[in-house]
Amino acid sequence: MEGIKHRMVSVNGINMHVAEIGEGPVVLFLHGFPELWYSWRHQMLHLSARGYRAVAPDLRGFGDTDAPASSRSYTYFQIVGDLIALIDSLGQDQVFVVGHDWGAMIAWYICLFRPDRVKALVNLSVEFKPQHPSRKLLVENLRAVYGDEYYICRFQEPGEAEGVCARAGTATVIKKFLTYRHPGPLMISKETGLGGSPNTTINLPSWLSEEDVNYYVSKFDEKGFTGGLNYYRALDLNWELMAPWTGAQVKVPVKFIVGDLDLAYCMPGVKEYIHNGDFKKDVPFLHEVVVMEEVGHFINQEKPAEINKHIYDFIQKF
């Protein structure tokens, strides 16, 4: 980890923290919630040792990157704008992109908006979600399916989820999310919150150490969770703004990887969409779909050796 360098870059009106290591073609890593650049530590070391320049920012709202207060500052357009400015600052015309969770969502939209800047994409956990203007607003739809205690619904009201996190304690929040392996929906009870307190004991899996947790905790203690929660609070605004892209396809080479215990993979209709041909219609240059058995949502940390190989084997073709 000592070889990873850190710097601040001015992009799109904010200051962004960037971690990087290596020389060669750039691989841009995009993290999810509640994560940081640190989520890609294994992949960065692996690819930098094989002739690539691994670059992993803290996305807007996270870690040492600026966190605008308003949820309206967290649309796909603003976040993709940050990343295009970052790519420009690296002196690159094109980069490889690897995304997970919210980072995967943002990666799809980089490819949708600016396919000229992406050589190829490896996306983890979250499939492409095409625009359906006839559907209800997304959060309303999720509430109708899962109820008010579904985590995305609980995240909507400013201050409410922050209160849940404060009562549980930052370490408990990080451990609860990163160790979640139930394929069903993540619910946050209005009575019990995340079901724990700062004194709750949570046994960590072999792939997640207390040292890892402490790094996340140090940054979220400093920054808070609001920046990350604002991604969820901008969902309906994104739905409205994305209307012009109805029917648009992602036209870059893609490899998609997901765990069979991933809550995103187990949402109603997702498996059918991925495997019955519609995914391939929306992403016509989809080369491969990999479903890893007995693997949860945080796949790049849970199975780093396998994910490292999948990424390298795919991008070295280009």
Side-chain angles (χ1 to χ4, degrees):
M1 296 291 286
E2 291 79 10
I4 296 178
K5 299 176 181 178
H6 300 264
R7 61 192 177 98
M8 299 298 293
V9 182
S10 178
V11 297
N12 195 27
I14 66 169
N15 294 309
M16 172 174 276
H17 167 245
V18 178
E20 61 183 321
I21 184 173
E23 299 292 337
V26 171
V27 185
L28 179 63
F29 291 95
L30 307 178
H31 68 79
F33 177 91
E35 298 180 274
L36 304 162
W37 75 268
Y38 186 81
S39 307
W40 298 109
R41 58 200 179 278
H42 306 297
Q43 288 73 40
M44 294 178 73
L45 296 175
H46 183 84
L47 288 172
S48 65
R50 285 156 181 79
Y52 290 91
R53 182 181 178 187
V55 178
D58 286 334
L59 296 177
R60 102 167 21 207
F62 290 90
D64 293 323
T65 294
D66 288 350
S70 171
S71 62
R72 298 183 70 86
S73 297
Y74 292 81
T75 69
Y76 300 138
F77 298 92
Q78 287 141 318
I79 300 163
V80 169
D82 298 343
L83 296 169
I84 294 299
L86 174 59
I87 293 168
D88 288 342
S89 79
L90 297 171
Q92 302 295 309
D93 292 326
Q94 285 192 317
V95 299
F96 295 106
V97 178
V98 181
H100 169 258
D101 188 76
W102 264 109
M105 290 287 288
I106 301 305
W108 291 123
Y109 287 100
I110 293 176
C111 295
L112 201 61
F113 299 157
R114 295 299 305 271
D116 58 308
R117 308 306 298 270
V118 181
K119 291 181 186 177
L121 167 66
V122 179
N123 245 0
L124 313 180
S125 297
V126 180
E127 79 290 354
F128 180 59
K129 299 181 185 299
Q131 179 74 5
H132 289 292
S134 61
R135 289 183 181 171
K136 294 179 180 180
L137 293 175
L138 180 59
V139 175
E140 184 181 339
N141 196 42
L142 291 171
R143 185 172 280 113
V145 174
Y146 296 114
D148 291 337
E149 293 189 342
Y150 185 56
Y151 78 105
I152 293 176
C153 301
R154 290 297 308 278
F155 285 175
Q156 294 304 307
E157 183 65 31
E160 182 180 346
E162 288 89 339
V164 171
C165 293
R167 288 189 291 276
T170 306
T172 296
V173 174
I174 296 299
K175 290 177 182 181
K176 282 275 189 178
F177 272 90
L178 295 188
T179 62
Y180 188 84
R181 290 175 59 82
H182 179 60
L186 174 59
M187 311 299 280
I188 299 177
S189 167
K190 292 188 176 181
E191 284 73 35
T192 61
L194 286 166
S197 71
N199 299 319
T200 301
T201 299
I202 300 174
N203 295 322
L204 297 181
S206 61
W207 52 268
L208 185 68
S209 70
E210 288 289 348
E211 182 182 7
D212 296 331
V213 170
N214 289 341
Y215 183 83
Y216 289 112
V217 169
S218 70
K219 296 302 178 182
F220 280 100
D221 271 346
E222 182 180 329
K223 179 76 72 178
F225 289 97
T226 299
L229 293 167
N230 277 337
Y231 284 65
Y232 298 92
R233 292 167 184 163
L235 277 169
D236 283 346
L237 177 58
N238 276 316
W239 180 86
E240 295 174 9
L241 295 174
M242 285 303 301
W245 281 266
T246 300
Q249 295 174 310
V250 172
K251 292 186 175 179
V252 303
V254 174
K255 182 174 189 173
F256 180 72
I257 310 168
V258 68
D260 65 350
L261 299 180
D262 193 322
L263 75 169
Y265 182 61
C266 296
M267 289 180 69
V270 170
K271 293 178 185 178
E272 293 79 6
Y273 171 74
I274 290 173
H275 299 294
N276 290 353
D278 288 337
F279 191 19
K280 178 70 173 177
K281 289 177 184 176
D282 292 326
V283 186
F285 304 134
L286 178 66
H287 285 235
E288 187 178 2
V289 172
V290 178
V291 180
M292 297 178 65
E293 295 183 0
E294 294 298 310
V295 181
H297 181 66
F298 295 93
I299 189 168
N300 48 313
Q301 297 186 76
E302 183 177 346
K303 294 291 182 180
E306 293 90 334
I307 295 300
N308 293 347
K309 186 175 188 306
H310 278 302
I311 294 170
Y312 177 74
D313 287 352
F314 187 61
I315 67 174
Q316 58 90 27
K317 298 176 181 177
F318 304 94

